[in-house]
Amino acid sequence: MPRPLRWFARVLSVLVALALVLAGVLVYTVRKSFPQVDGSLRLPGLKGNVEIYRDKSGIPHIYADTAADLFMAQGFVHAQDRFYEMDFRRHLTSGRLSELFGKATVDNDKAIRTMGWRRVAEQELPELSQQTQDYLNAYAKGVNAWLTANPNASDRSLEYSILKIQNGGYQPEKWTAADSVAWLKAMAWDLRSNMEDEIDRALALTKLPKERVEQLYPGYPYDRHSPIVAEGTIDQGRFDQHAEPRIRASRVLSQAARTLNAVPSTMGTEDREGIGSNSWVVSGEYTKSGKPLLANDPHLSPQMPSVWYQAGLHCRKITEECPYDVTGFTFSGVPGVVIGHTDKIAWGFTNLGPDVADLFLEQVHGDTYLYKGQQVKLETRQEQIKVAGGAPVTITVKSTRHGPLINEVMDDAQPSGEANAVALQWTALAPGKTADAVFALNKAGDWGEFKAAAALFDVPSQNLIYADTTGQIGYQAPGRIPVREAGDGTWPVPGWTGEYDWKTAPIPYDQLPSVENPADGFIVTANNAVIDPKRYKPLLTKDWAHGYRSQRIRDRIKEAIKKGPIDATTMSAIQQDTYNGFAETLVPALMRVDLAGPSGEARQLLKTWDRTQGLDSTPAAYFNAVWRQVLMLTFNDDLPEGARPAGGDRWYDVVGRLLDLPNDPFWDDVTTKNRKETRDDILRQALASAYQELSDRLGPEVKSWRWGDLHQLELVNGSLGTSGIGPVEALLNRGPLAVAGSKDAVNATGWNVQRGYDITAVPSMRMIVDLSDLDKSQWINLTGASGHAFHDNYWDQTEAWAKGVLLPMYSKPESIKKAAVHTLKLTP
């Protein structure tokens, strides 16, 4: 062998040997952290034995004799599978990410410390029931028992081994009850209603007159899309689903005056694009079994691992000391089940989206702020942020009566005009009872107990749907929803006048919309309007999703009823519906535009398109590319970057109205000189630009385009998955996967128009509960039970999720034991 080749061979041999050694070390390190799921383990602090059965998906069902043992075991199991995720979240919710990741996350910590999630959680703890506190402490004991048994980084998870390279001195501290409660604040923040819309309106107002900004927030289309509750109103101080609104003579003149004063904005009242989530329940009157079916699929940002963790919590014998037999979706770090069913009832959540946060513009002078003509002293506190590898950072958090001043840490909330600060008032920044609500839901056995549990659910305010084994169905709107002295929460308001302050008491729970066994025989919630304001006067919000998903679900349920009894297969098919609700409006307008050349040939795809958005759909690929171009070409020149359209059904109605106004100023591209574009100019350019974009990305052969080649999902680890270090990201992230659907299809796989077609929001789980036989219920998670990279259950549910497949959701002991492939016994 020639010398250069011999040298190369030796080097290659060394590199291969090193690679094999490193691979062996990696495999050993990874597998070392996998949990023990068979045999027996001692768990000090238990009162009795606990059994944990896991199926092939790694989903645990826990059996115990006392509630304390049940939740202690749940803490242990969560830690086995997801402790790094839990540890990362508690650092996030307490503004301590920099202790892990150094100076890169200081700004994140400043924002969280300013709002004070952790402080509120600590204030909330003593206000919870003693029983809830006991359960939270039992859960923490289980987490800490696991932590004590796994003292080394390699024992805990791959992430800790990676983190040790950068931050070798880090050791996780003991888990506390406040860590669990603080995570509920993060959930509330993710579902925080319309604060972004308030900011977007204010940003848009810096470039456009108010009447043109209001065009971008059209009112909810009550005439086309039904609200959730179609009957009832407040009567004698409480919501009555059988009461009808009455006009009182003493109010007629004031109502007329308010209507006249509002005329300038009634053509474009403010509204918002919905955050996401579907749920519906169908009465046994229309099902094959004669008992209700309930479906739920919350839409959240995709994460690796999924935010959800499936589990069953079962008392061997239902007693006062141990009243739980509940199966469903949990949050790692929080005891109990968030969405699921007991042995008697089932429930689901979607974001109600009430306006529970307001931005107050403030006038701050030194250490005081102006309020009703007086200079009032600011509340201040010091927060020290520890920084791995660097010096601590200290910030001074200042607050007015309305809340913390956020303008120093939130760049998109900068004050303007005579104001020089912005305060955030948000219901979640006051202690509440949501943790009590979780445990109350988990043992509810009928409609009355369910409503009593919902009354404790302060934040985030959710649409709660209900069904039980006796055949009842229902809906309840819970939550702490503020009542304002003036204003509607759609714009930032001056705080110094006091006229927009919140009243002391929120809307009373008894006055929030509720319905039991409605005449329709089904209930649908999909972030649409809860109730028509003509019959309900307390302001919930003006910024609803516009009802395209909810109306599509309603229409499909009605079609299914006509064809015959509904079963779980029907419910699943509705969850997978990919119909584009705006295509019927936009496609005819596109077809009328004069167009020649290759883009004219591509447009022919839309002629016979059935409006669905499956993986293999060529028309869906082209339509969505055109829709993207329409939004960017129409609005990006008029709006500042932070207020530009991301997509969604509010923009369906904005563009729908503009299609009838061919010379509206929004169609004109203000960046072109000596030319005024019209509607047809923009539509023509959108068709051509979309053709060029897809030709560049997918090739010039139009028939080869596929929506799934554009619309893809990458599952990214919540912390290290965006480290910028390729090998680390490759270890922890998974994908991409082609996924059907689109934003505001029922199968709501959202994408951001400004960034491209990559998926930014997903049905984070899917569940269908059969109240005739709970063992026939079905579910699926986005990823898997395990948070350990390379574990068999790390993302084993993802392919099934992408295909719309559901797994059996067993809850009876005999079914659980039969499906079990692992059994672990915990002993005192």
Side-chain angles (χ1 to χ4, degrees), residues 499-518:
E499 62 184 310
Y500 299 101
D501 285 2
W502 292 3
K503 295 185 178 181
T504 304
I507 299 173
Y509 176 70
D510 285 345
Q511 293 183 13
L512 292 173
S514 179
V515 65
E516 181 184 7
N517 299 324

Side-chain angles (χ1 to χ4, degrees), residues 627-644:
W627 170 237
R628 179 179 184 229
Q629 294 295 331
V630 166
L631 288 178
M632 292 194 300
L633 291 168
T634 306
F635 301 107
N636 281 14
D637 60 310
D638 293 292
L639 298 173
E641 187 173 348
R644 289 171 182 170

Side-chain angles (χ1 to χ4, degrees), residues 90 93-94 112 116-123 176 178-179 182:
R90 70 166 160 181
T93 57
S94 56
I112 300 300
W117 294 356
R118 175 73 182 205
R119 293 179 70 253
V120 178
E122 290 171 349
Q123 294 166 6
T176 69
D179 293 328

